[in-house]
Amino acid sequence: VGALMRHQRPISCLRFHSMSHMVSGSDDGEMIVWRTKDWESLLHLKGHKGPVVDFDVHPSGRVLLSCGRDNTLRLWDLVRGKPLHSSVKSYGKTITILPEHHFVRWSPSGDAFALSCGNTVSLFDPENSDRTALAVASLVHDRQALSAAYVDQHTL
């Protein structure tokens, strides 16, 4: 077992991507990609101006979506270790996240993602003709959605 000692503030979220890598997000606004065999930090993704609330690695392992307390949804290039977009857009407008608990999840094929804000979970098609995320559905619940997982490609 290794110790994750690179963050400056408490770790707010952790997720394994395959057996060989893990990503940690922190209250310092940074995410770190770790190699699990020796716990070497491979990438430091800095960009959120507040705590990282949640993230999810695309099934390809090439990109990551993150949401933070700075009310932004960011897209990261894991091959280069750089931000691809500091704000993800839908219908030409930046997707603004409310300061309520939220999460982001890629579908198993990576052709959609779910984003939660408060009691609403919205589903997005990440690539359409104008290279912005297209909201394709919203699910409104009686209570705040705290987490979700895809059961299969079409069921969240």
Side-chain angles (χ1 to χ4, degrees):
V1 179
L4 306 178
M5 304 298 288
R6 302 274 187 218
H7 288 290
Q8 302 302 311
R9 306 276 320 264
I11 292 173
S12 53
C13 45
L14 287 170
R15 184 156 300 122
F16 282 92
H17 180 73
S18 74
M19 295 298 292
S20 61
H21 294 87
M22 184 182 74
V23 181
S24 59
S26 172
D27 285 354
D28 61 13
E30 181 178 34
M31 291 168 295
I32 299 176
V33 178
W34 304 87
R35 184 174 48 221
T36 57
K37 81 174 179 183
D38 58 4
W39 297 108
E40 179 73 26
S41 61
L42 302 175
L43 295 174
H44 292 249
L45 306 172
K46 299 178 183 180
H48 284 288
K49 306 226 183 315
V52 176
V53 175
D54 196 30
F55 59 83
D56 202 19
V57 177
H58 188 272
S60 70
R62 299 176 60 84
V63 295
L64 176 146
L65 269 173
S66 65
C67 50
R69 287 274 181 250
D70 60 357
N71 301 339
T72 62
L73 178 66
R74 296 173 182 267
L75 184 64
W76 302 87
D77 181 336
L78 293 178
V79 175
R80 294 184 191 96
K82 305 276 183 199
L84 282 172
H85 298 287
S86 60
S87 58
V88 177
K89 297 184 181 294
S90 179
Y91 297 106
K93 296 182 180 173
T94 299
I95 298 173
T96 302
I97 301 172
L98 302 174
E100 302 160 357
H101 180 86
H102 38 273
F103 63 83
V104 62
R105 294 288 179 275
W106 284 105
S107 66
S109 67
D111 64 356
F113 67 89
L115 176 67
S116 164
C117 285
N119 68 336
T120 303
V121 177
S122 298
L123 303 175
F124 291 87
D125 175 354
E127 291 190 34
N128 59 59
S129 59
D130 64 358
R131 305 203 36 91
T132 64
L134 179 65
V136 294
S138 288
L139 311 168
V140 180
H141 302 275
D142 293 336
R143 296 186 179 161
Q144 186 175 18
L146 300 176
S147 185
Y150 278 87
V151 176
D152 58 37
Q153 177 54 36
H154 303 288
T155 309
L156 177 68

